[in-house]
Amino acid sequence: MVDLLIFHLKIALRNLLIHKKRMVLSLLGILFAVMSLVAFGNISEGLKAKLEMEISRFGENLIILRSGIFHVAGRTSAQFSEARTLKMKDIKSIKESLVEIEEVVPFFDSSYPLRFGEKKVTALIVGAENGVFNLRNVEIFEGRIFTDKEEEDLERVAVVGFKVYENLFAPFSPIGKYLLIYRVPTEIIGVMSEKGSDLFGQDQDLVVYMPLKTFMRRYSNVDYVKGAYIKVKEGVPLSDVKQKIRSFLRSVRKMKPEEKDDFSIFTVEDILKTKEEGTRLVSILTVISSIISFLIGGLGIFAIMLLSVTERRVEIGIRRAFGSSKKDTIFQFLGESTVVSLIGGISGVLFGFAATIIVDAIGDFPFKVSVKNLILALSVCVFVGIIAGIYPAMRATTYEPTEVLSS
């Protein structure tokens, strides 16, 4: 069996070399179909792996409550309106009233310029209780986080992101030094480890955390918060809790049914939804284009094999005269068409991996291989090769040795 396959492979390669141009043209359809399937499968796996990493950085079982109308789509987010109605008592009452909630951390954030000596950088300042470090999976590179006492005493202390440290202090330690946050001297007590961007596209290394009350009273002079990070207990559906929070806030504020929410609630699933919709659309388009490419490739192989059968009438006649059966003739041409299709498929796999490497490098995705798409693509190659070779193989059996040799 192996010897027979090697024999047909040699014949297919010989025909490929003799008729290079027309064989290459016939293979292009198969090549593009396999390339798109393999590349898309690999890139999708890389995208999934990257999303899992982003979710772990964002925080698990997390619901975000924000004042005003906040819209999230893919990696972008936009604030359409602001509201100053969300108070600390509202946040506390959520925690006390809903048993599904494990922890609630209110926050107030705003972008401010930072300065140390002659160096400047703009960063997002987040005033929050110290539970935020646990909820957002923030690790400390150097120093420490602030304490409850520093929160109560309105201490001007801050934990800075890694890029803030790199831009203003590296290679020296910033611990104990004073940073000007919008002209207010603030002691640095900690540096966060590198975290990258979160699901909103916000660079978490250009963030500064400080005690919530300190930021509200000494820096922003406000009596309201901009939102809260809400951690839900393990196993509780986030969508159910999200709806309960919405109903609870509307009831405690005695909002009328016709009144629109002046707050936004979203979960990680909401953020991922638009990403998945985009991926699903690309998946459908990839499958459609692959089917068309396979059809074109199959027709190309069919045409080439039909032409090859006609050109090799004498060869077929001689083989039949020396004892080759019709079954052998069918197997020979089916084998050749399958080998030709597989050559296109293997070339497509190589180009697919090359495309994966390029896209992964541009998109900063981890390199992953979709074994499922790889097996599917090569299986379809074999199928297309067999289907495309059936009619030419059957036609080859119609040549009788005496007629061919006499003509």
Side-chain angles (χ1 to χ4, degrees):
M1 185 68 179
V2 175
D3 294 337
L4 195 60
L5 285 174
I6 294 173
F7 171 72
H8 291 309
L9 176 62
K10 286 180 179 177
I11 293 177
L13 290 174
R14 187 190 65 187
N15 287 329
L16 187 63
L17 291 173
I18 293 173
H19 307 291
K20 289 190 283 291
K21 290 182 180 177
R22 70 188 190 191
M23 292 298 280
V24 168
L25 287 174
S26 71
L27 294 177
L28 283 179
I30 301 292
L31 186 150
F32 284 126
V34 173
M35 183 183 76
S36 58
L37 276 179
V38 171
F40 177 76
N42 293 346
I43 293 166
S44 294
E45 291 295 320
L47 182 60
K48 285 179 186 174
K50 186 173 184 181
L51 285 176
E52 287 173 1
M53 288 190 291
E54 288 184 345
I55 290 171
S56 66
R57 285 200 294 257
F58 188 78
E60 295 176 354
N61 296 330
L62 203 61
I63 290 177
I64 310 291
L65 167 65
R66 288 207 65 116
S67 61
I69 305 302
F70 203 82
H71 182 67
V72 178
R75 291 191 65 86
T76 61
S77 57
Q79 180 117 25
F80 290 122
S81 68
E82 290 189 4
R84 300 182 176 185
T85 52
L86 193 61
K87 308 291 185 180
M88 285 290 287
K89 62 181 176 63
D90 295 327
I91 305 300
K92 287 181 180 176
S93 62
I94 290 173
K95 174 69 169 60
E96 292 167 355
S97 304
L98 299 180
V99 295
E100 298 90 345
I101 292 174
E102 184 174 318
E103 189 173 1
V104 178
V105 175
F107 67 85
F108 185 92
D109 59 3
S110 186
S111 291
Y112 279 141
L114 315 178
R115 186 160 67 87
F116 182 74
E118 299 300 320
K119 298 179 180 178
K120 297 178 183 177
V121 69
T122 299
L124 180 70
I125 315 299
V126 180
E129 295 174 351
N130 56 18
V132 72
F133 295 100
N134 180 39
L135 260 62
R136 298 300 306 270
N137 290 336
V138 177
E139 295 180 358
I140 298 301
F141 172 74
E142 183 181 6
R144 62 177 178 84
I145 63 173
F146 43 82
T147 62
D148 292 338
K149 186 173 187 309
E150 287 170 330
E151 166 84 13
E152 290 301 319
D153 295 343
L154 303 181
E155 295 286 347
R156 297 193 302 269
V157 293
V159 179
V160 301
F162 198 79
K163 283 186 181 175
V164 175
Y165 154 70
E166 279 189 324
N167 287 325
L168 301 182
F169 302 100
F172 306 105
S173 173
I175 306 301
K177 294 186 171 61
Y178 282 81
L179 173 72
L180 287 179
I181 299 179
Y182 194 61
R183 302 176 185 173
V184 181
T186 308
E187 182 185 0
I188 299 175
I189 60 171
V191 179
M192 292 181 278
S193 299
E194 283 189 89
K195 197 170 169 64
S197 298
D198 64 12
L199 290 169
F200 298 120
Q202 171 65 47
D203 191 341
Q204 293 298 294
D205 297 322
L206 273 176
V207 171
V208 174
Y209 285 102
M210 66 167 45
L212 175 61
K213 291 179 182 175
T214 305
F215 191 47
M216 289 174 63
R217 296 181 188 178
R218 293 198 170 197
Y219 292 75
S220 302
N221 192 27
V222 295
D223 63 348
Y224 60 93
V225 294
K226 285 194 176 180
Y229 300 114
I230 302 169
K231 185 171 185 179
V232 178
K233 290 179 180 175
E234 198 71 37
V236 180
L238 295 183
S239 55
D240 293 351
V241 181
K242 175 182 167 183
Q243 189 56 42
K244 285 185 178 180
I245 294 171
R246 179 175 181 269
S247 301
F248 177 79
L249 281 176
R250 289 185 64 86
S251 66
V252 296
R253 295 176 176 194
K254 298 178 180 172
M255 296 176 72
K256 297 176 181 176
E258 64 271 18
E259 283 186 86
K260 293 183 178 179
D261 295 340
D262 62 349
F263 55 86
S264 304
I265 306 172
F266 42 90
T267 65
V268 173
E269 283 80 1
D270 296 330
I271 301 167
L272 295 179
K273 192 175 178 181
T274 54
K275 294 175 185 287
E276 290 174 350
E277 286 174 352
T279 305
R280 193 178 301 117
L281 178 61
V282 174
S283 172
I284 292 170
L285 293 175
T286 302
V287 170
I288 292 173
S289 65
S290 296
I291 290 173
I292 294 171
S293 296
F294 272 124
L295 285 174
I296 294 172
L299 288 173
I301 293 173
F302 170 78
I304 294 300
M305 290 306 297
L306 202 57
L307 184 62
S308 178
V309 166
T310 305
E311 291 176 344
R312 293 159 65 187
R313 290 176 68 247
V314 176
E315 176 192 328
I316 296 167
I318 293 173
R319 286 180 186 278
R320 294 288 306 281
F322 278 88
S324 177
S325 65
K326 288 185 177 181
K327 183 180 175 183
D328 293 333
T329 304
I330 292 173
F331 190 76
Q332 175 190 342
F333 283 97
L334 283 182
E336 284 186 30
S337 62
T338 305
V339 167
V340 169
S341 182
L342 269 177
I343 291 172
I346 292 169
S347 304
V349 170
L350 296 177
F351 278 98
F353 274 96
T356 303
I357 292 170
I358 293 171
V359 173
D360 285 352
I362 294 172
D364 194 25
F365 301 146
F367 181 79
K368 296 286 181 182
V369 175
S370 172
V371 179
K372 183 181 72 176
N373 275 32
L374 188 61
I375 294 173
L376 174 66
L378 292 178
S379 300
V380 175
C381 273
V382 173
F383 179 73
V384 169
I386 292 173
I387 295 296
I390 287 176
Y391 179 75
M394 295 302 293
R395 187 184 176 98
T397 61
T398 61
Y399 297 138
E400 292 300 329
T402 51
E403 293 177 6
V404 172
L405 294 177
S406 62
S407 63

